[in-house]
Amino acid sequence: MTTYHADLAWLPPGRLAADVTITVEDGRIAQVSEGAGGAGAEHLPGLVLPGLANAHSHAFHRALRGRTQHDAGGRGSFWTWREQMYGVAGRLDPDGYLALARATFAEMVLAGITCVGEFHYLHHAPDGHPYDDPNAMGHVLVQAAREAGLRLTLLDTCYLAGGIDRPPDGVQHRFSDGDAEAWAARTEALHTSYADAGDVVVGAAVHSVRAVPADQLGTVAAWAAHHEAPVHAHVSEQPRENDDCRQAYGVTPTRLLHDHGVLGPRTTAVHATHLTDDDIELLGRTGTAVCMCPTTERDLADGVGPAGRVREAGSPVTLGSDSHAVVDLLEEARAVELDERLASRRRGHWSAAALVDAATRAGHVSLGWPDAGLLDAGAPADLVAVRLDSVRTAGGADADALGRVVFAATAADVTDVVVSGQRVVAAGDHLLLGDVGALLSRAVAAVL
Amino acid sequence: MTTYHADLAWLPPGRLAADVTITVEDGRIAQVSEGAGGAGAEHLPGLVLPGLANAHSHAFHRALRGRTQHDAGGRGSFWTWREQMYGVAGRLDPDGYLALARATFAEMVLAGITCVGEFHYLHHAPDGHPYDDPNAMGHVLVQAAREAGLRLTLLDTCYLAGGIDRPPDGVQHRFSDGDAEAWAARTEALHTSYADAGDVVVGAAVHSVRAVPADQLGTVAAWAAHHEAPVHAHVSEQPRENDDCRQAYGVTPTRLLHDHGVLGPRTTAVHATHLTDDDIELLGRTGTAVCMCPTTERDLADGVGPAGRVREAGSPVTLGSDSHAVVDLLEEARAVELDERLASRRRGHWSAAALVDAATRAGHVSLGWPDAGLLDAGAPADLVAVRLDSVRTAGGADADALGRVVFAATAADVTDVVVSGQRVVAAGDHLLLGDVGALLSRAVAAVL
């Protein structure tokens, strides 16, 4: 049994508590008590939050950081960025993928992320043929997460087409299983591999309505329903997807997914930037979550999605660092509110408490960890300490600590991270992997 | 003579150079050479940039960080935020102002800011009467900057009215000198005090067309012209200012300022969020700079200003952290590009190089330091080292270093800061003031 003590902690259903003692047994929180002092306990400094859930990640995109920005002479777009991303995708093998994902996941842990949803579509060898183990690339992601010290939801992604009515092209052959039946067979094997693992959930993803023909969607939905597994899908990140979908099918991507049984409370629509009123109503009514990835949506010039409106319609909102232009879930959290302010010219759409809920509890639920992401008895013992004495977070009353953390702290203010009761980060150092900057440097160099 | 050596440095007019040696004499750069090795020199790690210029600051707003955010139940606005800000303004005396400004300026130095433009309007005692020295509050700002170790442009602000045709109200009595002649007399005394100081420029500011009646504008412009001093003004941050100005004067704020001689190459329009085509043309044609404060403009729900269009029209663009919701000029820099992406749905308005120019050279020019902000012989020896081995900045080729710094580094990645040849920050520690978080904590507590 380990006991941790926090001067300040964020307890369910959403209140700041002082002098909090958290006892851990078998990786779960056994008890949370207040006012008992910290004698004999391991101290966690600053404000202690539940572990953060990064609900949308493409680990290998980390190799692109800073590279797609430096020449702004041209007028780039999402689509030109995608060409650069495909260049990296084409050069990865299992060893390179392992090194890059491990380092990227370790960067996440240092930022307080204790659970990641990896939206994984880089399945096959560069020529499009399966590896000897068709799940070789999936297995290295599991290994990477374990070595980095965080829990993983591996969202094995169905990606069959290069666009609506277009076969896969170039590197996209690495993504495609041919049809959804073949995808389901491969994913079933992956699921079986980790059926008894306590640290991995295998879920499903529909890459997008661009990449999965309508007549294949039901197969993915059925596989996920059979396993009660999470299903994620990129939805309406760019207007062109909406245009193409309407032209081919006569409906929006959201409506198409709904018509084929993809929406529902185990499902997350990622981005959901360009929605119709009907889309918002459908997502909310079905209880489909919406994952906002604001720093990526800024970076790719996607636009500002209707986070407040989907929440009001009934959709839980979660957060993802997606392309890892930056890895900082506090920045993602405040960006949801700040970008809505830019779009609406009003403040106060999201409280700090609501943004923390998106970054913790709601994210975990969407990744198939329904009891994680809160500091309560029975939950996995995932704890994140954010210092309140840095130049960014110092100054002000304890009562405002959550506001300072959500609206001013950065990943650099995360000092200590506990996953399943084990301290993985102490005083900003990754205890399992050491110098994560050096790991990133080597891993990125190997794929450029 | 001191010599610094950088593995990588950003040299004028905008190129990355390796193995750079910078010799310093009497606080200025004597020579910049490449390829000479670093024997005997003090090492600066990572990428070395010229010192950053924070072109728009209200130091005391730092006390509000995190406090105006935590209750989002209501629908706050710029105007409700202003009420909270006035609460702090009402409680400051010279000692409290000194402590708060010193700590805030020290936070800036740790973020690589070596020159700040303080837009100073908190002139008088709480009852509106002048202090025994009517510039007591200005003098403490100079002392604060000196103790924090950065150069200061004190923009002494003319603030006469509570709105168009409205007298000052409440705490606004602390701001007002009665009329622009009285403002000029007081500011003249302040200017004389620092006429021979090498580390302070005294300039002028028009708070806004809300706070300075049209018939008073010419007096401010004439004072600044006489001294060839910078003039800054808040312009069109909120649509309501435009509406009020049109109603009272029949023209936009930009046009009004121009009609009274305020615009020109020594002038900076701060925010310039809601401009007409005519405003943009006027600002550009007169060579008036525009200071964008993107994190504040997000925070206050101002909207996205036309940074790219004003630049194309001929206005230099500079950056400010303004209300200090965050103090991170790298975040301000990328936010200019990223927020334009959100508004336009296109990438590539601003290159990393153009954003660094805004954060360095252009900012210094707008603050009355025309030879600062570049690593060239004759310039003040202000150097900032940003590490390239953190989890945020590691990974990628040297050629992309600027892109990683501008689009992914944070203030926490600034390790070393040299001002006028003297190292003020080493390995992230403030050498003059020690624990700046503790200073902030005490200074904010004293005014809450």
Side-chain angles (χ1 to χ4, degrees):
Chain A
M1 197 180 83
T2 313
T3 305
Y4 293 97
H5 182 263
D7 299 323
L8 282 175
W10 187 245
L11 301 186
R15 72 185 172 89
L16 205 57
D19 186 6
V20 174
T21 303
I22 298 171
T23 55
V24 177
E25 284 180 24
D26 297 332
R28 289 184 176 263
I29 295 172
Q31 193 182 7
V32 179
S33 56
E34 295 173 58
E42 291 193 33
H43 181 62
L44 295 171
L47 172 62
V48 173
L49 303 174
L52 307 179
N54 188 356
H56 191 62
S57 162
H58 304 283
F60 76 89
H61 291 192
R62 175 60 179 80
L64 293 169
R65 182 178 297 177
R67 293 189 64 218
T68 74
Q69 312 281 5
H70 69 290
D71 177 16
R75 296 291 186 214
S77 71
F78 172 91
W79 307 100
T80 55
W81 168 86
R82 195 177 72 159
E83 290 306 310
Q84 297 179 282
M85 182 269 283
Y86 279 1
V88 172
R91 286 188 290 276
L92 283 164
D93 61 15
D95 286 349
Y97 204 26
L98 172 62
L100 183 53
R102 177 172 50 207
T104 302
F105 291 158
E107 180 179 357
M108 291 183 198
V109 175
L110 287 170
I113 294 164
T114 57
C115 180
V116 60
E118 177 68 16
F119 197 104
H120 166 55
Y121 52 79
L122 195 55
H123 303 303
H124 305 301
D127 64 359
H129 284 86
Y131 287 104
D132 289 346
D133 179 339
N135 284 309
M137 296 293 258
H139 292 310
V140 300
L141 290 170
V142 173
Q143 185 182 344
R146 286 174 170 169
E147 293 181 15
L150 79 176
R151 61 185 81 243
L152 172 70
T153 293
L154 184 50
L155 297 160
D156 194 296
T157 304
C158 185
Y159 192 126
L160 305 173
I164 295 174
D165 291 329
R166 285 218 310 275
D169 185 37
V171 72
Q172 292 169 342
H173 290 288
R174 301 194 69 173
F175 312 160
S176 176
D177 292 297
D179 61 31
E181 285 295 336
W183 167 85
R186 186 182 49 68
T187 301
E188 181 67 22
L190 190 69
H191 188 273
T192 302
S193 299
Y194 301 103
D196 298 325
D199 57 345
V200 177
V201 165
V202 174
V206 169
H207 178 276
S208 59
V209 299
R210 292 178 272 129
V212 181
D215 62 6
Q216 305 290 303
L217 291 170
T219 303
V220 181
W223 182 88
H226 176 70
H227 291 289
E228 297 182 357
V231 191
H232 287 221
H234 292 126
V235 177
S236 297
E237 182 177 5
Q238 287 280 324
R240 195 167 105 186
E241 174 180 301
N242 290 358
D243 297 342
D244 292 352
C245 187
R246 279 179 193 279
Q247 192 169 351
Y249 301 116
V251 293
T252 65
T254 297
R255 173 63 66 180
L256 189 72
L257 292 169
H258 181 254
D259 288 349
H260 290 84
V262 178
L263 301 189
R266 282 181 291 95
T267 301
T268 296
V270 180
H271 303 301
T273 311
H274 301 285
L275 300 184
T276 65
D277 291 349
D278 180 60
D279 292 340
I280 291 172
E281 193 273 332
L282 258 184
L283 291 169
R285 178 159 51 84
T286 57
T288 302
V290 170
C291 181
M292 310 294 294
C293 308
T295 67
T296 295
E297 290 148 11
R298 289 174 179 166
D299 189 41
L300 299 185
D302 292 331
V304 180
R309 289 186 64 206
V310 299
R311 180 197 55 186
E312 285 161 22
S315 289
V317 170
T318 67
L319 303 172
S321 66
D322 189 4
S323 66
H324 314 313
V326 301
V327 170
D328 188 340
L329 233 60
L330 298 171
E331 173 74 11
E332 303 294 343
R334 61 179 160 261
V336 168
E337 165 67 13
L338 295 175
D339 289 355
E340 288 225 69
R341 292 184 189 180
L342 287 180
S344 70
R345 306 229 205 103
R346 279 192 297 110
R347 307 178 93 213
H349 307 269
W350 294 81
S351 65
L355 294 170
V356 167
D357 188 71
T360 57
R361 193 198 53 78
H364 281 95
V365 170
S366 81
L367 293 173
W369 303 90
D371 56 2
L374 70 180
L375 302 184
D376 207 359
D382 302 342
L383 315 174
V384 175
V386 185
R387 59 188 288 201
L388 295 172
D389 62 352
S390 80
V391 290
R392 290 169 290 281
T393 54
D398 280 356
D400 299 318
L402 196 76
R404 295 206 302 283
V405 164
V406 171
F407 285 99
T410 73
D413 298 307
V414 171
T415 59
D416 294 75
V417 180
V418 172
V419 183
S420 293
Q422 300 295 314
R423 203 186 287 243
V424 182
V425 177
D429 289 329
H430 197 293
L431 300 179
L432 307 177
L433 292 175
D435 183 347
V436 177
L439 293 181
L440 284 162
S441 189
R442 282 201 297 277
V444 172
V447 298
L448 291 189
Chain B
M1 195 180 84
T2 314
T3 305
Y4 294 97
H5 182 262
D7 300 323
L8 282 176
W10 186 247
L11 301 185
R15 72 186 171 84
L16 206 58
D19 187 5
V20 174
T21 303
I22 299 170
T23 56
V24 177
E25 285 180 23
D26 296 331
R28 289 183 176 264
I29 295 173
Q31 194 182 6
V32 179
S33 57
E34 296 173 58
E42 291 192 33
H43 182 62
L44 294 172
L47 171 62
V48 173
L49 302 174
L52 308 180
N54 188 357
H56 191 61
S57 163
H58 303 283
F60 77 89
H61 292 191
R62 174 62 178 79
L64 293 169
R65 183 176 297 176
R67 294 189 64 219
T68 73
Q69 312 282 2
H70 69 290
D71 176 17
R75 295 291 187 214
S77 71
F78 171 91
W79 308 101
T80 54
W81 169 87
R82 195 177 71 158
E83 290 307 310
Q84 297 180 282
M85 182 269 283
Y86 280 0
V88 174
R91 285 188 292 276
L92 282 164
D93 61 16
D95 285 348
Y97 203 26
L98 172 62
L100 184 52
R102 178 172 50 207
T104 304
F105 290 159
E107 179 180 357
M108 292 184 198
V109 175
L110 288 170
I113 293 164
T114 58
C115 181
V116 60
E118 177 67 18
F119 197 105
H120 166 55
Y121 52 79
L122 195 54
H123 302 305
H124 304 303
D127 63 0
H129 285 85
Y131 287 105
D132 290 345
D133 179 340
N135 284 309
M137 296 294 258
H139 293 310
V140 301
L141 290 170
V142 173
Q143 186 184 344
R146 285 175 171 166
E147 292 181 16
L150 81 175
R151 62 186 79 243
L152 171 70
T153 294
L154 184 49
L155 298 160
D156 193 296
T157 303
C158 186
Y159 192 125
L160 305 173
I164 296 175
D165 291 326
R166 283 218 311 273
D169 186 37
V171 73
Q172 292 169 341
H173 289 290
R174 302 194 69 173
F175 313 161
S176 175
D177 292 298
D179 61 31
E181 286 295 334
W183 167 85
R186 187 182 49 69
T187 302
E188 181 68 21
L190 191 69
H191 188 273
T192 302
S193 300
Y194 301 102
D196 298 325
D199 57 345
V200 176
V201 165
V202 174
V206 169
H207 178 275
S208 60
V209 300
R210 289 179 273 130
V212 182
D215 63 6
Q216 305 290 302
L217 291 170
T219 303
V220 181
W223 183 89
H226 176 71
H227 291 290
E228 297 183 356
V231 191
H232 287 221
H234 293 126
V235 177
S236 297
E237 181 177 6
Q238 287 280 325
R240 194 166 106 186
E241 173 180 302
N242 291 357
D243 297 343
D244 292 352
C245 187
R246 280 179 192 280
Q247 192 169 349
Y249 301 116
V251 294
T252 65
T254 297
R255 173 62 68 178
L256 189 71
L257 292 170
H258 182 254
D259 287 349
H260 290 83
V262 179
L263 301 190
R266 282 181 291 95
T267 301
T268 295
V270 180
H271 302 302
T273 311
H274 301 285
L275 300 183
T276 65
D277 291 350
D278 180 61
D279 291 340
I280 291 172
E281 193 273 332
L282 259 185
L283 292 169
R285 178 158 53 81
T286 56
T288 302
V290 170
C291 181
M292 310 294 293
C293 309
T295 66
T296 295
E297 290 148 12
R298 288 174 180 166
D299 189 40
L300 299 185
D302 293 330
V304 180
R309 289 185 64 207
V310 299
R311 179 195 56 185
E312 285 161 21
S315 289
V317 170
T318 67
L319 302 172
S321 66
D322 189 2
S323 67
H324 315 310
V326 302
V327 169
D328 187 341
L329 233 59
L330 299 171
E331 173 74 10
E332 303 293 344
R334 61 179 161 261
V336 169
E337 165 68 12
L338 296 175
D339 289 353
E340 288 225 66
R341 291 184 190 180
L342 287 180
S344 69
R345 305 231 205 102
R346 280 191 297 109
R347 307 177 94 213
H349 307 269
W350 292 83
S351 65
L355 294 171
V356 168
D357 188 70
T360 57
R361 193 197 54 77
H364 282 94
V365 171
S366 81
L367 293 174
W369 303 90
D371 56 1
L374 71 179
L375 302 184
D376 207 359
D382 302 341
L383 316 174
V384 174
V386 185
R387 60 188 290 200
L388 296 172
D389 62 353
S390 80
V391 290
R392 290 169 290 281
T393 55
D398 280 355
D400 300 317
L402 196 75
R404 295 205 302 284
V405 164
V406 171
F407 285 99
T410 73
D413 297 308
V414 171
T415 59
D416 294 76
V417 180
V418 173
V419 182
S420 293
Q422 301 295 315
R423 203 185 289 241
V424 182
V425 177
D429 288 330
H430 197 292
L431 301 180
L432 307 178
L433 292 175
D435 183 347
V436 178
L439 294 181
L440 284 162
S441 190
R442 282 201 296 276
V444 171
V447 299
L448 291 189

